[in-house]
Amino acid sequence: MSLKPATLSQADAIIGQYPHKRSATMPLLHLVQEDRGYINDADMAWVAEKVGVTPMQVLEVVTFYPMFRREPIGRRHIRVCRTLSCALRGSYALMASLEKSLNCKRGETSADGNFTIEFVECIADCGCGPVVQVDHAMHENVTPDKAEAFAAKIRTSLTDTNYGKTAPQPGTPEWNG
Ligand code: FES
């Protein structure tokens, strides 16, 4: 398994919050993904045993929801919204620029393992598109003309020891792409 001890103990606490163990399937999958970065076959078997369902039933959940990953991802996970509001504001042109700047094709992980970039559907911030989520942080108004600077910022974050310690706040330059 090689999941962290904290993950293993949290799993039991999570299961205890539900009247039926199987209801903890998705929270446990999120927990595993947070720990490992993705969900492998052994993880699915472990979750199945913990919640009393078959590994196939866990696989059905993992493959149904796009937020669950079955492969490792890059150090920065970049998700560009392509739904209507963001698309009209240039998310396709933005994606093309980011692919070029980060040397990474959409739906793939860069050869150096630093970036995974993909299109996603609406992430509920439609008035501020194009919206890009980088790991847990949302970035608004990332119009195509800002793509190169935005890519540079993502590259810089790889060596920023404070990265991820604070979330971008609305109205700050970082939040606004
Ligand atoms: S359309 Fe992009 S956040 Fe809703």
Side-chain angles (χ1 to χ4, degrees):
M1 280 298 298
S2 71
L3 291 170
K4 296 185 182 98
T7 301
L8 302 178
S9 59
Q10 273 183 59
D12 291 327
I14 289 170
I15 291 168
Q17 293 172 359
Y18 294 90
H20 304 289
K21 287 199 296 186
R22 64 186 302 151
S23 302
T25 302
M26 288 184 62
L28 286 196
L29 289 170
H30 280 294
L31 187 69
V32 168
Q33 183 165 277
E34 190 67 29
D35 182 327
R36 190 189 298 289
Y38 69 102
I39 299 164
N40 65 25
D41 290 349
D43 295 328
M44 285 188 272
W46 178 75
V47 170
E49 192 184 333
K50 293 294 275 183
V51 302
V53 301
T54 66
M56 182 55 72
Q57 288 172 306
V58 176
L59 176 66
E60 286 168 357
V61 174
V62 169
T63 53
F64 182 81
Y65 292 102
M67 68 276 200
F68 293 128
R69 298 184 293 272
R70 297 188 62 203
E71 302 289 337
I73 55 168
R75 292 174 61 205
R76 295 288 173 272
H77 188 195
I78 302 147
R79 287 170 274 202
V80 179
C81 175
R82 67 172 172 193
T83 307
L84 187 61
S85 299
C86 290
L88 289 173
R89 293 263 293 154
S91 57
Y92 281 81
L94 171 66
M95 171 62 91
S97 292
L98 291 178
E99 284 180 297
K100 203 168 157 197
S101 297
L102 299 174
N103 198 20
C104 180
K105 288 187 181 153
R106 68 190 77 175
E108 297 184 6
T109 296
S110 58
D112 58 12
N114 282 335
F115 312 110
T116 296
I117 187 164
E118 62 187 0
F119 270 135
V120 292
E121 303 306 332
C122 182
I123 40 182
D125 196 8
C126 318
C128 301
V131 176
V132 182
Q133 185 174 353
V134 181
D135 299 333
H136 294 296
M138 297 285 282
H139 300 267
E140 300 174 331
N141 300 304
V142 191
T143 45
D145 57 305
K146 297 176 185 166
E148 279 195 27
F150 190 69
K153 193 159 62 178
I154 296 171
R155 268 196 303 273
T156 301
S157 78
L158 292 170
T159 53
D160 179 357
T161 51
N162 287 318
Y163 175 79
K165 291 188 178 155
T166 55
Q169 296 300 306
T172 65
E174 183 176 6
W175 180 276
N176 288 309

